[in-house]
Amino acid sequence: RINCLHEVGTVLCEKYGGKFVNLLNKCDNSAVKLLDLVLQNFNCFRDVSEFKGKTVSIHKRAQILVADIWCLFEGTGKGSFPDIDKLTMFADYRVPQSLQHYGVFSYDKELMDFLSTNQVMPSGHKY
């Protein structure tokens, strides 16, 4: 996380006069545009992985950042994002856990067997 802080500080200083508000001013009160700006400017916010030969983009932290700004400003002023509903639901582990519990979807047996061992799944694992 310290590397992410360094990256954000460096980019803000080099491109936005050292202030996040200058980046925020470029989004024209659009949650989607702010999300795109964050993803374009800060590598550490790009949650992208390969899964079975396909690129999967989650962007959890970037979307949480945008949603937190919206909440901070209570949906007004610089945090007035009429398109806030265009963000996806955040990919928290509780979401799939709940959906699986209620039978909305199910995991394959091999994955469930692995999860039942309570081992930490390393980043980039085939699941």
Side-chain angles (χ1 to χ4, degrees), residues 78-94:
K78 294 192 182 299
S80 171
F81 303 138
D83 61 347
I84 192 72
D85 62 325
K86 302 298 184 215
L87 299 183
T88 62
M89 183 168 55
F90 309 132
D92 187 281
Y93 74 94
R94 292 279 188 199

Side-chain angles (χ1 to χ4, degrees), residues 14-62:
E14 290 176 357
K15 292 185 173 182
Y16 298 99
K19 297 181 181 181
F20 185 80
V21 72
N22 292 333
L23 180 123
L24 189 57
N25 288 335
K26 293 193 175 285
C27 80
D28 301 320
N29 289 94
S30 166
V32 172
K33 191 169 181 181
L34 180 56
L35 178 65
D36 288 341
L37 284 168
V38 169
L39 294 173
Q40 289 169 19
N41 284 279
F42 307 107
N43 288 331
C44 64
F45 279 89
R46 293 185 201 135
D47 304 335
V48 177
S49 294
E50 289 290 319
F51 179 72
K52 294 186 178 181
K54 294 184 180 183
T55 301
V56 179
S57 303
I58 306 292
H59 307 308
K60 174 185 173 180
R61 290 184 302 137

